[in-house]
PDB file of all heavy atoms in Angstrom:
ATOM      1  N   VAL A 376      25.090 -17.855  33.760  1.00 93.00           N
ATOM      2  CA  VAL A 376      26.527 -17.455  33.963  1.00 93.00           C
ATOM      3  C   VAL A 376      26.837 -17.445  35.526  1.00 93.00           C
ATOM      4  O   VAL A 376      26.041 -16.660  36.313  1.00 93.00           O
ATOM      5  CB  VAL A 376      26.881 -16.074  33.455  1.00 93.00           C
ATOM      6  CG1 VAL A 376      28.237 -15.730  33.900  1.00 93.00           C
ATOM      7  CG2 VAL A 376      26.855 -16.222  31.865  1.00 93.00           C
ATOM      8  N   VAL A 461      16.924 -19.652  29.818  1.00 97.00           N
ATOM      9  CA  VAL A 461      18.394 -19.100  29.421  1.00 97.00           C
ATOM     10  C   VAL A 461      18.507 -17.663  30.141  1.00 97.00           C
ATOM     11  O   VAL A 461      17.715 -16.827  29.627  1.00 97.00           O
ATOM     12  CB  VAL A 461      18.514 -18.889  28.003  1.00 97.00           C
ATOM     13  CG1 VAL A 461      19.862 -18.289  27.604  1.00 97.00           C
ATOM     14  CG2 VAL A 461      18.471 -20.257  27.284  1.00 97.00           C
ATOM     15  N   ALA A 462      19.217 -17.616  31.187  1.00 95.00           N
ATOM     16  CA  ALA A 462      19.365 -16.258  31.760  1.00 95.00           C
ATOM     17  C   ALA A 462      20.554 -15.550  31.079  1.00 95.00           C
ATOM     18  O   ALA A 462      21.770 -15.578  31.524  1.00 95.00           O
ATOM     19  CB  ALA A 462      19.735 -16.467  33.287  1.00 95.00           C
ATOM     20  N   ALA A 463      20.203 -14.859  30.021  1.00 93.00           N
ATOM     21  CA  ALA A 463      21.181 -14.252  29.188  1.00 93.00           C
ATOM     22  C   ALA A 463      21.558 -12.873  29.423  1.00 93.00           C
ATOM     23  O   ALA A 463      22.258 -12.113  28.759  1.00 93.00           O
ATOM     24  CB  ALA A 463      20.725 -14.299  27.704  1.00 93.00           C
ATOM     25  N   GLU A 464      21.032 -12.372  30.669  1.00 89.00           N
ATOM     26  CA  GLU A 464      21.273 -10.983  31.119  1.00 89.00           C
ATOM     27  C   GLU A 464      22.027 -10.956  32.410  1.00 89.00           C
ATOM     28  O   GLU A 464      21.774 -11.890  33.190  1.00 89.00           O
ATOM     29  CB  GLU A 464      19.962 -10.288  31.270  1.00 89.00           C
ATOM     30  CG  GLU A 464      20.030  -8.716  31.290  1.00 89.00           C
ATOM     31  CD  GLU A 464      18.781  -8.152  30.788  1.00 89.00           C
ATOM     32  OE1 GLU A 464      17.668  -8.670  30.983  1.00 89.00           O
ATOM     33  OE2 GLU A 464      18.810  -6.994  30.255  1.00 89.00           O
ATOM     34  N   GLY A 465      22.824 -10.129  32.650  1.00 88.00           N
ATOM     35  CA  GLY A 465      23.558 -10.093  33.934  1.00 88.00           C
ATOM     36  C   GLY A 465      24.931 -10.768  33.807  1.00 88.00           C
ATOM     37  O   GLY A 465      25.150 -11.708  32.884  1.00 88.00           O
ATOM     38  N   LYS A 466      25.808 -10.471  34.677  1.00 89.00           N
ATOM     39  CA  LYS A 466      27.204 -10.997  34.779  1.00 89.00           C
ATOM     40  C   LYS A 466      27.390 -12.135  35.661  1.00 89.00           C
ATOM     41  O   LYS A 466      28.606 -12.591  35.905  1.00 89.00           O
ATOM     42  CB  LYS A 466      28.281  -9.905  34.801  1.00 89.00           C
ATOM     43  CG  LYS A 466      28.260  -8.977  33.487  1.00 89.00           C
ATOM     44  CD  LYS A 466      29.478  -8.159  33.595  1.00 89.00           C
ATOM     45  CE  LYS A 466      29.514  -7.279  32.265  1.00 89.00           C
ATOM     46  NZ  LYS A 466      30.801  -6.412  32.157  1.00 89.00           N
ATOM     47  N   TRP A 508      17.152  -7.933  14.887  1.00 52.00           N
ATOM     48  CA  TRP A 508      18.088  -7.063  15.787  1.00 52.00           C
ATOM     49  C   TRP A 508      18.177  -7.744  17.271  1.00 52.00           C
ATOM     50  O   TRP A 508      18.887  -7.239  18.200  1.00 52.00           O
ATOM     51  CB  TRP A 508      17.555  -5.627  16.036  1.00 52.00           C
ATOM     52  CG  TRP A 508      16.210  -5.435  16.619  1.00 52.00           C
ATOM     53  CD1 TRP A 508      15.936  -5.344  17.995  1.00 52.00           C
ATOM     54  CD2 TRP A 508      14.983  -5.223  15.984  1.00 52.00           C
ATOM     55  NE1 TRP A 508      14.654  -5.137  18.160  1.00 52.00           N
ATOM     56  CE2 TRP A 508      14.048  -5.138  17.031  1.00 52.00           C
ATOM     57  CE3 TRP A 508      14.603  -5.302  14.693  1.00 52.00           C
ATOM     58  CZ2 TRP A 508      12.624  -4.925  16.734  1.00 52.00           C
ATOM     59  CZ3 TRP A 508      13.147  -5.077  14.349  1.00 52.00           C
ATOM     60  CH2 TRP A 508      12.347  -4.900  15.382  1.00 52.00           C
ATOM     61  N   MET A 509      17.485  -8.834  17.585  1.00 55.00           N
ATOM     62  CA  MET A 509      17.717  -9.563  18.766  1.00 55.00           C
ATOM     63  C   MET A 509      18.730 -10.645  18.616  1.00 55.00           C
ATOM     64  O   MET A 509      18.389 -11.914  18.607  1.00 55.00           O
ATOM     65  CB  MET A 509      16.335 -10.202  19.216  1.00 55.00           C
ATOM     66  CG  MET A 509      15.314  -9.156  19.702  1.00 55.00           C
ATOM     67  SD  MET A 509      15.753  -8.417  21.385  1.00 55.00           S
ATOM     68  CE  MET A 509      15.415  -9.800  22.350  1.00 55.00           C
ATOM     69  N   SER A 510      19.911 -10.245  18.386  1.00 62.00           N
ATOM     70  CA  SER A 510      20.943 -11.195  18.147  1.00 62.00           C
ATOM     71  C   SER A 510      21.552 -11.935  19.335  1.00 62.00           C
ATOM     72  O   SER A 510      21.264 -11.367  20.460  1.00 62.00           O
ATOM     73  CB  SER A 510      22.122 -10.589  17.228  1.00 62.00           C
ATOM     74  OG  SER A 510      22.711  -9.554  17.987  1.00 62.00           O
ATOM     75  N   ASN A 511      22.162 -12.968  19.202  1.00 71.00           N
ATOM     76  CA  ASN A 511      22.795 -13.674  20.265  1.00 71.00           C
ATOM     77  C   ASN A 511      24.138 -12.991  20.753  1.00 71.00           C
ATOM     78  O   ASN A 511      25.258 -13.454  20.405  1.00 71.00           O
ATOM     79  CB  ASN A 511      23.035 -15.072  19.883  1.00 71.00           C
ATOM     80  CG  ASN A 511      21.774 -15.805  19.750  1.00 71.00           C
ATOM     81  OD1 ASN A 511      20.644 -15.510  20.195  1.00 71.00           O
ATOM     82  ND2 ASN A 511      21.794 -16.958  19.071  1.00 71.00           N
ATOM     83  N   THR A 512      23.921 -11.744  21.289  1.00 73.00           N
ATOM     84  CA  THR A 512      25.226 -11.068  21.851  1.00 73.00           C
ATOM     85  C   THR A 512      24.969 -10.795  23.200  1.00 73.00           C
ATOM     86  O   THR A 512      23.953 -10.752  23.879  1.00 73.00           O
ATOM     87  CB  THR A 512      25.250  -9.754  20.976  1.00 73.00           C
ATOM     88  OG1 THR A 512      24.033  -9.015  21.125  1.00 73.00           O
ATOM     89  CG2 THR A 512      25.498  -9.930  19.487  1.00 73.00           C
ATOM     90  N   GLY A 513      26.102 -10.503  23.913  1.00 80.00           N
ATOM     91  CA  GLY A 513      26.246 -10.088  25.320  1.00 80.00           C
ATOM     92  C   GLY A 513      27.004 -11.108  26.121  1.00 80.00           C
ATOM     93  O   GLY A 513      27.578 -12.065  25.491  1.00 80.00           O
ATOM     94  N   HIS A 514      27.022 -10.891  27.350  1.00 87.00           N
ATOM     95  CA  HIS A 514      27.980 -11.613  28.307  1.00 87.00           C
ATOM     96  C   HIS A 514      27.744 -13.089  28.173  1.00 87.00           C
ATOM     97  O   HIS A 514      28.653 -14.025  28.125  1.00 87.00           O
ATOM     98  CB  HIS A 514      28.007 -11.030  29.622  1.00 87.00           C
ATOM     99  CG  HIS A 514      28.959 -11.639  30.646  1.00 87.00           C
ATOM    100  ND1 HIS A 514      30.264 -11.459  30.574  1.00 87.00           N
ATOM    101  CD2 HIS A 514      28.739 -12.423  31.721  1.00 87.00           C
ATOM    102  CE1 HIS A 514      30.880 -12.093  31.403  1.00 87.00           C
ATOM    103  NE2 HIS A 514      29.937 -12.737  32.171  1.00 87.00           N
ATOM    104  N   TYR A 515      26.438 -13.503  28.361  1.00 92.00           N
ATOM    105  CA  TYR A 515      26.084 -14.918  28.260  1.00 92.00           C
ATOM    106  C   TYR A 515      26.605 -15.570  26.966  1.00 92.00           C
ATOM    107  O   TYR A 515      27.090 -16.699  27.048  1.00 92.00           O
ATOM    108  CB  TYR A 515      24.569 -15.067  28.323  1.00 92.00           C
ATOM    109  CG  TYR A 515      24.049 -16.379  28.197  1.00 92.00           C
ATOM    110  CD1 TYR A 515      23.899 -17.308  29.196  1.00 92.00           C
ATOM    111  CD2 TYR A 515      23.669 -16.848  26.921  1.00 92.00           C
ATOM    112  CE1 TYR A 515      23.304 -18.511  29.051  1.00 92.00           C
ATOM    113  CE2 TYR A 515      23.314 -18.210  26.677  1.00 92.00           C
ATOM    114  CZ  TYR A 515      23.100 -18.960  27.805  1.00 92.00           C
ATOM    115  OH  TYR A 515      22.632 -20.336  27.487  1.00 92.00           O
ATOM    116  N   PHE A 516      26.435 -14.943  25.910  1.00 90.00           N
ATOM    117  CA  PHE A 516      26.792 -15.536  24.653  1.00 90.00           C
ATOM    118  C   PHE A 516      28.253 -15.632  24.364  1.00 90.00           C
ATOM    119  O   PHE A 516      28.737 -16.156  23.422  1.00 90.00           O
ATOM    120  CB  PHE A 516      26.121 -14.952  23.446  1.00 90.00           C
ATOM    121  CG  PHE A 516      24.531 -15.250  23.534  1.00 90.00           C
ATOM    122  CD1 PHE A 516      23.577 -14.280  23.937  1.00 90.00           C
ATOM    123  CD2 PHE A 516      23.949 -16.500  23.220  1.00 90.00           C
ATOM    124  CE1 PHE A 516      22.272 -14.547  24.104  1.00 90.00           C
ATOM    125  CE2 PHE A 516      22.602 -16.734  23.177  1.00 90.00           C
ATOM    126  CZ  PHE A 516      21.770 -15.665  23.699  1.00 90.00           C
ATOM    127  N   ASP A 517      29.010 -14.919  25.216  1.00 92.00           N
ATOM    128  CA  ASP A 517      30.443 -14.929  25.056  1.00 92.00           C
ATOM    129  C   ASP A 517      31.040 -16.068  25.884  1.00 92.00           C
ATOM    130  O   ASP A 517      32.417 -16.194  25.848  1.00 92.00           O
ATOM    131  CB  ASP A 517      31.092 -13.591  25.587  1.00 92.00           C
ATOM    132  CG  ASP A 517      30.758 -12.419  24.531  1.00 92.00           C
ATOM    133  OD1 ASP A 517      30.568 -12.722  23.379  1.00 92.00           O
ATOM    134  OD2 ASP A 517      30.824 -11.288  24.961  1.00 92.00           O
ATOM    135  N   ARG A 518      30.301 -16.774  26.671  1.00 93.00           N
ATOM    136  CA  ARG A 518      30.925 -17.718  27.601  1.00 93.00           C
ATOM    137  C   ARG A 518      30.922 -19.133  27.104  1.00 93.00           C
ATOM    138  O   ARG A 518      30.057 -19.578  26.312  1.00 93.00           O
ATOM    139  CB  ARG A 518      30.083 -17.867  28.888  1.00 93.00           C
ATOM    140  CG  ARG A 518      29.635 -16.454  29.546  1.00 93.00           C
ATOM    141  CD  ARG A 518      31.016 -15.738  29.843  1.00 93.00           C
ATOM    142  NE  ARG A 518      31.677 -16.457  31.108  1.00 93.00           N
ATOM    143  CZ  ARG A 518      32.844 -16.053  31.449  1.00 93.00           C
ATOM    144  NH1 ARG A 518      33.543 -15.161  31.093  1.00 93.00           N
ATOM    145  NH2 ARG A 518      33.408 -16.772  32.503  1.00 93.00           N
ATOM    146  N   ALA A 519      31.941 -19.958  27.386  1.00 93.00           N
ATOM    147  CA  ALA A 519      32.145 -21.272  26.861  1.00 93.00           C
ATOM    148  C   ALA A 519      31.277 -22.241  27.463  1.00 93.00           C
ATOM    149  O   ALA A 519      30.734 -23.075  26.769  1.00 93.00           O
ATOM    150  CB  ALA A 519      33.673 -21.674  27.097  1.00 93.00           C
ATOM    151  N   THR A 521      28.210 -21.814  28.688  1.00 93.00           N
ATOM    152  CA  THR A 521      26.815 -21.614  28.181  1.00 93.00           C
ATOM    153  C   THR A 521      26.637 -21.880  26.771  1.00 93.00           C
ATOM    154  O   THR A 521      25.513 -22.187  26.322  1.00 93.00           O
ATOM    155  CB  THR A 521      26.322 -20.210  28.473  1.00 93.00           C
ATOM    156  OG1 THR A 521      27.226 -19.215  28.033  1.00 93.00           O
ATOM    157  CG2 THR A 521      26.249 -20.055  29.994  1.00 93.00           C
ATOM    158  N   PHE A 522      27.777 -21.946  26.001  1.00 91.00           N
ATOM    159  CA  PHE A 522      27.628 -22.123  24.479  1.00 91.00           C
ATOM    160  C   PHE A 522      26.994 -23.639  24.260  1.00 91.00           C
ATOM    161  O   PHE A 522      26.186 -23.765  23.457  1.00 91.00           O
ATOM    162  CB  PHE A 522      28.977 -21.885  23.865  1.00 91.00           C
ATOM    163  CG  PHE A 522      29.053 -22.211  22.433  1.00 91.00           C
ATOM    164  CD1 PHE A 522      28.291 -21.792  21.554  1.00 91.00           C
ATOM    165  CD2 PHE A 522      29.954 -23.350  21.982  1.00 91.00           C
ATOM    166  CE1 PHE A 522      28.312 -21.989  20.146  1.00 91.00           C
ATOM    167  CE2 PHE A 522      30.065 -23.661  20.585  1.00 91.00           C
ATOM    168  CZ  PHE A 522      29.271 -22.988  19.747  1.00 91.00           C
ATOM    169  N   ILE A 533      14.350 -17.346  26.705  1.00 94.00           N
ATOM    170  CA  ILE A 533      15.621 -16.517  26.758  1.00 94.00           C
ATOM    171  C   ILE A 533      15.207 -15.169  27.487  1.00 94.00           C
ATOM    172  O   ILE A 533      14.260 -14.427  26.949  1.00 94.00           O
ATOM    173  CB  ILE A 533      16.239 -16.218  25.492  1.00 94.00           C
ATOM    174  CG1 ILE A 533      16.517 -17.487  24.590  1.00 94.00           C
ATOM    175  CG2 ILE A 533      17.531 -15.338  25.592  1.00 94.00           C
ATOM    176  CD1 ILE A 533      16.843 -17.413  23.204  1.00 94.00           C
ATOM    177  N   PHE A 534      15.769 -15.014  28.631  1.00 92.00           N
ATOM    178  CA  PHE A 534      15.498 -13.677  29.319  1.00 92.00           C
ATOM    179  C   PHE A 534      16.685 -12.758  29.013  1.00 92.00           C
ATOM    180  O   PHE A 534      17.775 -12.958  29.322  1.00 92.00           O
ATOM    181  CB  PHE A 534      15.517 -13.962  30.841  1.00 92.00           C
ATOM    182  CG  PHE A 534      14.425 -14.702  31.246  1.00 92.00           C
ATOM    183  CD1 PHE A 534      14.196 -16.192  31.132  1.00 92.00           C
ATOM    184  CD2 PHE A 534      13.307 -14.095  31.965  1.00 92.00           C
ATOM    185  CE1 PHE A 534      13.179 -16.829  31.544  1.00 92.00           C
ATOM    186  CE2 PHE A 534      12.173 -14.859  32.369  1.00 92.00           C
ATOM    187  CZ  PHE A 534      12.071 -16.220  32.171  1.00 92.00           C
ATOM    188  N   GLN A 535      16.447 -11.710  28.286  1.00 87.00           N
ATOM    189  CA  GLN A 535      17.516 -10.980  27.657  1.00 87.00           C
ATOM    190  C   GLN A 535      17.054  -9.472  27.391  1.00 87.00           C
ATOM    191  O   GLN A 535      15.816  -9.310  26.805  1.00 87.00           O
ATOM    192  CB  GLN A 535      18.179 -11.339  26.435  1.00 87.00           C
ATOM    193  CG  GLN A 535      19.298 -10.785  25.900  1.00 87.00           C
ATOM    194  CD  GLN A 535      19.822 -11.323  24.542  1.00 87.00           C
ATOM    195  OE1 GLN A 535      19.129 -11.968  23.903  1.00 87.00           O
ATOM    196  NE2 GLN A 535      21.181 -11.094  24.420  1.00 87.00           N
ATOM    197  N   PHE A 536      17.769  -8.536  27.582  1.00 80.00           N
ATOM    198  CA  PHE A 536      17.329  -7.027  27.307  1.00 80.00           C
ATOM    199  C   PHE A 536      16.051  -6.665  27.991  1.00 80.00           C
ATOM    200  O   PHE A 536      15.197  -5.900  27.556  1.00 80.00           O
ATOM    201  CB  PHE A 536      17.247  -6.842  25.750  1.00 80.00           C
ATOM    202  CG  PHE A 536      18.453  -7.201  24.915  1.00 80.00           C
ATOM    203  CD1 PHE A 536      18.367  -7.936  23.844  1.00 80.00           C
ATOM    204  CD2 PHE A 536      19.690  -6.639  25.407  1.00 80.00           C
ATOM    205  CE1 PHE A 536      19.512  -8.309  23.153  1.00 80.00           C
ATOM    206  CE2 PHE A 536      20.889  -7.002  24.723  1.00 80.00           C
ATOM    207  CZ  PHE A 536      20.705  -7.732  23.502  1.00 80.00           C
ATOM    208  N   ARG A 540      12.108 -14.102  24.968  1.00 89.00           N
ATOM    209  CA  ARG A 540      11.759 -14.583  23.649  1.00 89.00           C
ATOM    210  C   ARG A 540      11.961 -16.084  23.608  1.00 89.00           C
ATOM    211  O   ARG A 540      12.529 -16.673  24.556  1.00 89.00           O
ATOM    212  CB  ARG A 540      12.655 -14.023  22.603  1.00 89.00           C
ATOM    213  CG  ARG A 540      14.295 -14.199  22.872  1.00 89.00           C
ATOM    214  CD  ARG A 540      15.009 -13.467  21.857  1.00 89.00           C
ATOM    215  NE  ARG A 540      16.452 -13.427  22.210  1.00 89.00           N
ATOM    216  CZ  ARG A 540      17.428 -13.943  21.488  1.00 89.00           C
ATOM    217  NH1 ARG A 540      17.126 -14.704  20.454  1.00 89.00           N
ATOM    218  NH2 ARG A 540      18.640 -13.984  21.869  1.00 89.00           N
ATOM    219  N   GLU A 586      34.369 -21.654  16.831  1.00 90.00           N
ATOM    220  CA  GLU A 586      33.278 -20.873  17.587  1.00 90.00           C
ATOM    221  C   GLU A 586      33.499 -20.974  19.027  1.00 90.00           C
ATOM    222  O   GLU A 586      33.565 -20.012  19.695  1.00 90.00           O
ATOM    223  CB  GLU A 586      31.843 -21.359  17.207  1.00 90.00           C
ATOM    224  CG  GLU A 586      30.761 -20.461  17.786  1.00 90.00           C
ATOM    225  CD  GLU A 586      30.589 -19.164  17.125  1.00 90.00           C
ATOM    226  OE1 GLU A 586      31.183 -18.929  15.974  1.00 90.00           O
ATOM    227  OE2 GLU A 586      29.888 -18.330  17.708  1.00 90.00           O
ATOM    228  N   GLN A 589      36.521 -19.119  20.889  1.00 94.00           N
ATOM    229  CA  GLN A 589      36.507 -17.731  21.067  1.00 94.00           C
ATOM    230  C   GLN A 589      35.695 -17.304  22.254  1.00 94.00           C
ATOM    231  O   GLN A 589      35.683 -16.113  22.644  1.00 94.00           O
ATOM    232  CB  GLN A 589      36.101 -16.942  19.764  1.00 94.00           C
ATOM    233  CG  GLN A 589      37.025 -17.148  18.602  1.00 94.00           C
ATOM    234  CD  GLN A 589      36.398 -16.674  17.343  1.00 94.00           C
ATOM    235  OE1 GLN A 589      36.453 -15.448  17.170  1.00 94.00           O
ATOM    236  NE2 GLN A 589      35.859 -17.473  16.527  1.00 94.00           N
ATOM    237  N   LYS A 590      35.062 -18.349  22.988  1.00 94.00           N
ATOM    238  CA  LYS A 590      34.336 -17.918  24.165  1.00 94.00           C
ATOM    239  C   LYS A 590      35.162 -17.822  25.351  1.00 94.00           C
ATOM    240  O   LYS A 590      36.371 -18.356  25.403  1.00 94.00           O
ATOM    241  CB  LYS A 590      33.292 -19.101  24.370  1.00 94.00           C
ATOM    242  CG  LYS A 590      32.430 -19.434  23.225  1.00 94.00           C
ATOM    243  CD  LYS A 590      31.557 -18.212  22.824  1.00 94.00           C
ATOM    244  CE  LYS A 590      30.617 -18.677  21.716  1.00 94.00           C
ATOM    245  NZ  LYS A 590      29.684 -17.483  21.160  1.00 94.00           N
ATOM    246  N   SER A 591      34.733 -17.248  26.419  1.00 93.00           N
ATOM    247  CA  SER A 591      35.471 -16.851  27.507  1.00 93.00           C
ATOM    248  C   SER A 591      35.172 -17.825  28.693  1.00 93.00           C
ATOM    249  O   SER A 591      34.180 -18.393  28.774  1.00 93.00           O
ATOM    250  CB  SER A 591      35.126 -15.396  28.040  1.00 93.00           C
ATOM    251  OG  SER A 591      35.541 -14.533  27.082  1.00 93.00           O
TER     252      SER A 591
END
Side-chain angles (χ1 to χ4, degrees):
V376 175
V461 177
E464 202 159 23
K466 292 191 174 182
W508 67 85
M509 288 286 288
S510 59
N511 294 338
T512 58
H514 185 67
Y515 170 91
F516 292 102
D517 289 336
R518 309 299 294 173
T521 54
F522 176 56
I533 305 167
F534 293 77
Q535 186 185 24
F536 304 132
R540 59 187 168 111
E586 184 75 15
Q589 296 176 75
K590 307 295 182 183
S591 300

